[in-house]
Amino acid sequence: MNDSTRNSGTDSRAQQNPNQRQRDNTAYHESQLLGMLLKAPQQLDAARLIDPEDLDSPDYRVILDAARDLALARNGITEDNRPDIIEMVAARTRRGEGEIAALVVALIEDCFSTANIADFATKVKRAALDRRIDDAMKGGDRRAVYNLMAEQDGIKERLKPAVLKSRFVRLSDMGDRPPAIDWLIEDYLERDTTAQLFGDPGCGKSFIALDIALSIAAGEAWYGHATTSYPVFYIAGEGLRGLQRRKEAWLRHHEITGRNAPFWLSKGSTALSDPGQLAALIADIDALIAECGLPGLIVIDTVARNFGGGDENSTKDMTAFIAAVDTLRERYHCCILLVHHTGHNDKSRARGSIALLGSLDAEYRVEKIGVEEKTIQMTSTRQKDNDDPPPRVWTLTRFDLPWCDAKGRPLNSAVLIPNDSVPFTKPVKEKSLTGMPKQALSVLREIYRQQRETLMAGGQDPDAARVTISQWNDAMQSLSEDKSYRSTVRRDLEKRGYVRFEAPYVHLTPDAT
């Protein structure tokens, strides 16, 4: 059949049935719409009335869904994110990235403009509704036909710009009583916050994190503190086999025979600072919460294993990780519990950029105490809005499981047994600074002292004293002429929690003062 004959046949059918003409153009309208959105992904909102199931092409549905998930994870996307979209679509369809990339390129090349996204979205939506109306008429479902036709009539209303709610609340509307704390574990963890357990490797922090997670999922009180039962997602980056045994030991120790608690353990780590992996994680959680509801807790064990590319000590890289954590917390209004390691030099704080500490609502230090190091202690080191809860002390006790390995050796794990007989031990502070770091900190303290005295002499507030980074750097030249070494010393003091940089100023932390 030549082109003229094919066009003639199409025109004839269109004259007989106007609705059919619109549906004959469905493939064209959909390809144009997807090409526009891939060419200018920052305009995804212009096609907001389209749902993936409105698209007749399965490939287009996956592309649109992936682009929206990525935009949600990154709070918006641009043309630079097309490789991430291709990677996500390839993973979800289990096809090669080359094949998906060829499809994306073809859609973009065939797209003639990005100025009519809303218009094409309307055409695609109308065609989808036409298909559903036909199906409803064939099935004799008059009510469905009526509702679908009403939805067609309301498309124009849906295209109107959404009215944004103000981000501000007037004093008179705030009420005279603060909202009640939404505790997950009374006194220790609350919803819609970010908390952290940190300690040396092997100190028992993962035992505590799993203990907390299973208590919340099972609705069991946590050592006398009430819990609120919620679904829990545990993103494990290491020790998966060990966690399986620990889970079973915990259930048997607490005499929980059922296995229906809403608790999910990941099969591996997730590079949270990678937008594609974050979006994939969100998609997995969304698919599960359809049956169980919103999670109350997401555990990330450990930060290092789920950090992704980049350097924990880099403020820029840590900020990207924090943004991913905030995306999860804000999406599900849950508590994010981070499990992290201590610093290499300073055991009194978690390692990495100080930016992480600033993002926390609660933080707990975990350490082994005693000669045999079988006693574990958890101490509050930060509470943003609440009082410090009591410290907890446990003995890590062996628990035998009713199975053996391939060689007949019994399998075992361990459980936490409260040990009130062991007195709480105040965490040991890091050794005093020595050498160049100590001298550099003394120089900074002296500059601040002089500035405070000058302000006081002039009748001004001494707390208004500020020292710039360049002032400190100039003063450090008397200690070392090596600019690179001076910079290394300043970064070391920041990592160890003695100073905080807020360009162009450097501030002394409470530990330093």
Side-chain angles (χ1 to χ4, degrees), residues 167-239:
R167 69 183 65 195
F168 296 104
V169 179
R170 188 170 180 173
L171 177 64
S172 59
D173 296 328
M174 292 180 186
D176 57 358
R177 186 186 180 95
I181 299 175
D182 192 359
W183 290 113
L184 281 175
I185 295 181
E186 188 178 17
D187 299 331
Y188 286 89
L189 289 181
E190 58 179 305
R191 288 192 72 202
D192 208 3
T193 62
T194 302
Q196 178 169 270
L197 295 172
F198 77 95
D200 286 335
C203 70
K205 54 188 179 292
S206 290
F207 274 99
I208 297 175
L210 186 64
D211 189 52
I212 287 172
L214 289 170
S215 296
I216 292 171
E220 293 284 314
W222 194 70
Y223 306 106
H225 293 263
T227 63
T228 305
S229 180
Y230 275 104
V232 174
F233 291 89
Y234 200 108
I235 305 170
E238 56 189 23

Side-chain angles (χ1 to χ4, degrees), residues 77-204:
I77 56 176
T78 66
E79 298 91 332
D80 294 337
N81 300 113
R82 279 198 289 263
D84 298 321
I85 297 174
I86 291 169
E87 180 183 353
M88 289 177 64
V89 174
R92 294 182 181 186
T93 60
R94 297 185 179 181
R95 289 152 64 184
E97 289 188 22
E99 180 184 352
I100 302 302
L103 173 61
V104 168
V105 170
L107 287 169
I108 293 173
E109 289 180 348
D110 290 343
C111 162
F112 62 85
S113 171
T114 61
N116 300 311
I117 292 178
D119 181 50
F120 274 85
T122 303
K123 291 176 180 177
V124 170
K125 186 70 175 182
R126 287 190 181 279
L129 290 172
D130 281 339
R131 292 193 299 271
R132 292 171 192 157
I133 290 171
D134 283 349
D135 292 340
M137 291 178 68
K138 290 175 184 177
D141 190 343
R142 294 185 178 181
R143 173 58 62 181
V145 172
Y146 174 81
N147 290 338
L148 289 166
M149 292 180 71
E151 187 176 352
Q152 275 195 333
D153 293 338
I155 285 178
K156 290 183 179 180
E157 289 296 321
R158 292 180 63 181
L159 285 172
K160 289 182 179 179
V163 178
L164 296 177
K165 294 182 179 180
S166 174
R167 69 183 65 195
F168 296 104
V169 179
R170 188 170 180 173
L171 177 64
S172 59
D173 296 328
M174 292 180 186
D176 57 358
R177 186 186 180 95
I181 299 175
D182 192 359
W183 290 113
L184 281 175
I185 295 181
E186 188 178 17
D187 299 331
Y188 286 89
L189 289 181
E190 58 179 305
R191 288 192 72 202
D192 208 3
T193 62
T194 302
Q196 178 169 270
L197 295 172
F198 77 95
D200 286 335
C203 70

Side-chain angles (χ1 to χ4, degrees), residues 183-398:
W183 290 113
L184 281 175
I185 295 181
E186 188 178 17
D187 299 331
Y188 286 89
L189 289 181
E190 58 179 305
R191 288 192 72 202
D192 208 3
T193 62
T194 302
Q196 178 169 270
L197 295 172
F198 77 95
D200 286 335
C203 70
K205 54 188 179 292
S206 290
F207 274 99
I208 297 175
L210 186 64
D211 189 52
I212 287 172
L214 289 170
S215 296
I216 292 171
E220 293 284 314
W222 194 70
Y223 306 106
H225 293 263
T227 63
T228 305
S229 180
Y230 275 104
V232 174
F233 291 89
Y234 200 108
I235 305 170
E238 56 189 23
L240 296 177
R241 291 184 179 179
L243 284 171
Q244 291 278 12
R245 291 209 299 266
R246 293 177 192 179
K247 171 267 300 179
E248 193 61 31
W250 188 94
L251 291 171
R252 290 172 181 271
H253 172 69
H254 289 273
E255 300 180 346
I256 296 175
T257 56
R259 295 294 187 273
N260 295 322
F263 175 86
W264 282 270
L265 178 64
S266 73
K267 296 178 182 178
S269 61
T270 299
L272 291 174
S273 55
D274 179 275
Q277 291 203 36
L278 175 61
L281 173 65
I282 289 173
D284 283 346
I285 294 176
D286 284 352
L288 292 170
I289 65 176
E291 64 177 81
C292 70
L294 291 172
L297 176 69
I298 296 176
V299 181
I300 299 172
D301 184 6
T302 58
V303 169
R305 291 286 187 171
N306 293 284
F307 192 81
D311 180 3
E312 290 178 21
N313 296 310
S314 163
T315 300
K316 179 181 178 182
D317 293 340
M318 182 59 78
T319 300
F321 175 80
I322 293 169
V325 169
D326 286 343
T327 296
L328 292 172
R329 179 183 56 77
E330 292 167 3
R331 182 178 181 86
Y332 302 116
H333 299 288
C334 66
C335 174
I336 307 294
L337 179 59
L338 307 175
V339 181
H340 199 16
H341 296 297
T342 53
H344 296 297
N345 297 318
D346 186 356
K347 302 300 182 182
S348 66
R349 63 178 289 262
R351 76 185 188 196
S353 171
I354 199 70
L356 181 59
L357 177 62
S359 71
L360 300 176
D361 298 286
E363 184 187 57
Y364 299 94
R365 179 182 179 183
V366 180
E367 59 185 332
K368 286 185 174 180
I369 58 176
V371 178
E372 297 183 1
E373 291 195 338
K374 289 185 178 180
T375 305
I376 297 174
Q377 176 176 280
M378 186 184 87
T379 315
S380 172
T381 54
R382 175 182 172 86
Q383 296 292 327
K384 190 173 183 179
D385 296 309
N386 302 313
D387 294 332
D388 286 323
R392 307 244 28 122
V393 179
W394 299 272
T395 297
L396 191 62
T397 305
R398 172 175 168 150

Side-chain angles (χ1 to χ4, degrees), residues 6-17:
R6 185 162 49 243
N7 292 337
S8 175
T10 302
D11 292 342
S12 174
R13 288 194 303 273
Q15 290 172 5
Q16 294 171 4
N17 188 342

Side-chain angles (χ1 to χ4, degrees), residues 36-46 76-80:
M36 293 175 186
L37 294 177
L38 288 167
K39 196 170 186 177
Q42 63 270 26
Q43 297 187 46
L44 273 171
D45 190 58
I77 56 176
T78 66
E79 298 91 332
D80 294 337

